[in-house]
């Protein structure tokens, strides 16, 4: 038994040595003692020592229907024995079957699909399409938005820790983020969530002064920072990497109208919000009552398989056909079969409904903790996309110091719950589990988080 434990420790140490020696140092790891994972099943992960973890981060919001979901695994195994890859210059049944199924889930006129391999690649292509179609160049994005790490999409990504000291934002103009918690305006009725910010406001029903103020800032950007004609505007329906930021309810609808008046197209980045995760709707943009001109999607589209898509109108798609545009792996047989199986699993397992029911329960449980602990500044989200923003205290709303954040985070991991981190200051816990998570799991997660907060309180009192 002693030898077995020594061998296990050696395996973890050897993996760290190889990683440090042979993998890019830009690939950081979570936790003081990085996890060495061995297996996954639905909402659970298992490390090489056999410890089980409830996965509330889903491989950075990528595992949508569950780790190694039986239906998706079976479909992939079957296709592996038939045809792995062939160029999309040839026809194969799975690509036609998949794009028809995917397009049926989007409103008219969003019916033309271009398949790619990652969210960065999808957003890169969406930028390209917007510029080719409009014959304009400038694109507007939100501060705090994340749209990819490629040299092109880094112009739209407005989180400083992802920026490198090279030119990357030519033709990309950021505008104020309508953040009703941390921004200059916001109140107790602003966002589409069962839990509102602790700020109070005097707005009457159907009126939102914060929305009006943020729209004025958007107009100011249009008037001062870009030409009269623009290529477009891109937004996540709910910001993901920045810590689940929700905008005032009417904001995107009014912003889309202003963009279209300038000749631009509107792009919805559904990389994290899509495929039923918000619970009330299949797509995040539907929660805002808008129909974009271009929709990008990735992550949950393949439940961990590398695939992504851009869906747009026939008119915009035709603009790309004036010259050749080719993608070697986009739409390969394996990806299409996996993507199709994921859509089947979402429907057959009732995962959109589950996202709404379990997500609502979890959100309200975390909101109870906000009332109990001074360091929880905000709890927000929709469905199984939840952010818990940590602060020094509710009066100042200054971000909780990184060391204290990490201690809480480590305690949750040690008690068997994995959470993500996000926000400009890395001050927000991101809760975005596989959509198969149960109410019992959610209760366990809330209990663990409560215990971690109590440990933090004890450390604070002791010091």
């Amino acid at each position: 038994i002693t030898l077995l434990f020594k061998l296990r420790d050696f395996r973890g140490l050897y993996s760290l040595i190889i990683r440090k020696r042979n993998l890019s140092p830009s690939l950081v790891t979570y936790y003081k003692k990085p996890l060495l994972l061995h297996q996954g099943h639905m909402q659970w992960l298992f490390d090489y020592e056999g410890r089980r973890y409830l996965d509330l981060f889903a491989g950075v919001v990528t595992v949508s229907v569950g780790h190694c979901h039986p239906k998706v695994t079976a479909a992939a195994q079957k296709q592996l024995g038939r045809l792995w890859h062939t160029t999309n210059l040839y026809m194969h049944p799975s690509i036609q079957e998949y794009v028809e199924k995917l397009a049926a889930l989007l409103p008219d006129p969003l019916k033309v699909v271009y398949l790619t391999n990652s969210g960065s690649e999808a957003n890169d292509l969406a930028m390209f399409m917007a510029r080719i179609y409009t014959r304009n160049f400038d694109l507007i994005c939100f501060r705090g938005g994340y749209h990819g790490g490629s040299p092109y999409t880094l112009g739209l990504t407005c989180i400083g820790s992802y920026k490198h000291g090279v030119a990357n934002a030519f033709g990309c103009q950021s505008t104020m983020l309508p953040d009703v918690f941390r921004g200059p305006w916001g109140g107790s009725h602003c966002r589409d969530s069962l839990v509102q910010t602790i700020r109070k406001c005097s707005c009457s029903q159907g009126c939102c002064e914060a929305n009006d103020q943020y729209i004025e800032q958007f107009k100011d950007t249009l008037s001062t920072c870009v030409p009269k004609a623009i290529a477009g505007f891109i937004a996540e329906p709910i910001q993901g990497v920045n810590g689940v930021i929700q905008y005032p309810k009417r904001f995107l609808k009014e912003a889309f109208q202003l963009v279209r008046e300038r000749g631009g197209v509107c792009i919805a980045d559904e990389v994290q919000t899509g495929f039923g995760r918000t619970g009330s709707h299949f797509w995040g943009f539907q929660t805002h009552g808008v129909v974009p001109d271009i929709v990008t999607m990735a992550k949950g589209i393949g439940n961990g398989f590398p695939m992504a898509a851009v869906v747009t109108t026939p008119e915009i798609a035709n603009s790309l056909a004036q010259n050749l545009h080719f993608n070697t792996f986009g739409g390969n047989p394996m990806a299409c079969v996996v993507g199709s199986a994921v859509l089947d699993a979402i429907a057959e397992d009732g995962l959109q409904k589950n996202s709404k029911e379990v997500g609502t329960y979890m959100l309200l449980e975390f909101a109870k903790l906000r009332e109990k602990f001074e360091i929880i500044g905000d709890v927000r989200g929709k469905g199984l996309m939840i952010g818990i923003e940590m602060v020094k205290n509710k009066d100042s709303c200054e971000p909780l110091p990184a060391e204290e954040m990490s201690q809480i985070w480590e305690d949750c991991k040690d008690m068997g719950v994995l959470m993500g981190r996000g926000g400009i200051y890395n001050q927000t816990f991101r809760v975005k589990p596989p959509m198969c998570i149960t109410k019992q799991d959610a209760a366990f997660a809330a209990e663990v988080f409560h215990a971690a907060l109590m440990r933090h309180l004890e450390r604070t009192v002791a010091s």
Side-chain angles (χ1 to χ4, degrees), residues 330-399:
N332 67 78
M334 281 298 301
C336 291
V337 165
V338 168
S340 184
V342 168
L343 293 181
D344 290 343
I346 292 171
E348 293 168 12
D349 297 355
L351 296 184
Q352 181 180 329
K353 180 182 178 184
N354 193 64
S355 291
K356 182 176 182 178
E357 293 176 352
V358 177
T360 296
Y361 172 79
M362 187 181 287
L363 180 71
L364 294 176
E365 289 298 301
F366 286 135
K368 292 176 186 176
L369 297 179
R370 181 180 68 174
E371 304 307 313
K372 185 174 181 178
F373 292 93
E374 182 68 13
I375 60 170
I376 300 182
D378 197 26
V379 173
R380 53 184 176 256
K382 190 172 175 65
L384 287 173
M385 192 166 184
I386 299 171
I388 308 169
E389 184 157 349
M390 310 299 289
V391 296
K392 287 183 178 179
N393 57 71
K394 289 183 172 70
D395 290 331
S396 71
C397 287
E398 291 182 37

Side-chain angles (χ1 to χ4, degrees), residues 11 49 61 66 90 131 145 150 154 171 269 279 281 289 367 393 418 440:
R11 185 187 301 176
E49 294 177 316
V61 208
Y90 305 144
R131 286 169 169 165
S150 68
L154 271 176
D269 180 340
H281 297 79
N393 57 71
L418 306 180
Q440 183 180 7

Side-chain angles (χ1 to χ4, degrees), residues 37-100:
L37 295 174
H38 169 70
Q39 190 172 356
H41 179 70
M42 302 308 279
Q43 64 270 43
W44 300 98
L45 287 169
F46 302 83
D47 69 13
Y48 74 104
E49 294 177 316
R51 288 196 62 185
R52 186 177 77 162
Y53 300 90
L54 178 62
D55 184 7
L56 296 188
F57 201 32
V60 194
V61 208
T62 301
V63 179
S64 50
V65 301
H67 292 282
C68 302
H69 189 288
K71 296 172 186 174
V72 180
T73 301
Q77 289 173 335
K78 183 177 180 181
Q79 187 62 35
L80 275 170
R82 179 178 293 164
L83 179 65
W84 288 23
H85 175 78
T86 182
T87 172
N88 52 32
L89 294 170
Y90 305 144
M91 294 178 66
H92 57 85
S94 56
I95 190 169
Q96 283 79 236
E97 293 169 4
Y98 178 60
V99 295
E100 182 181 37

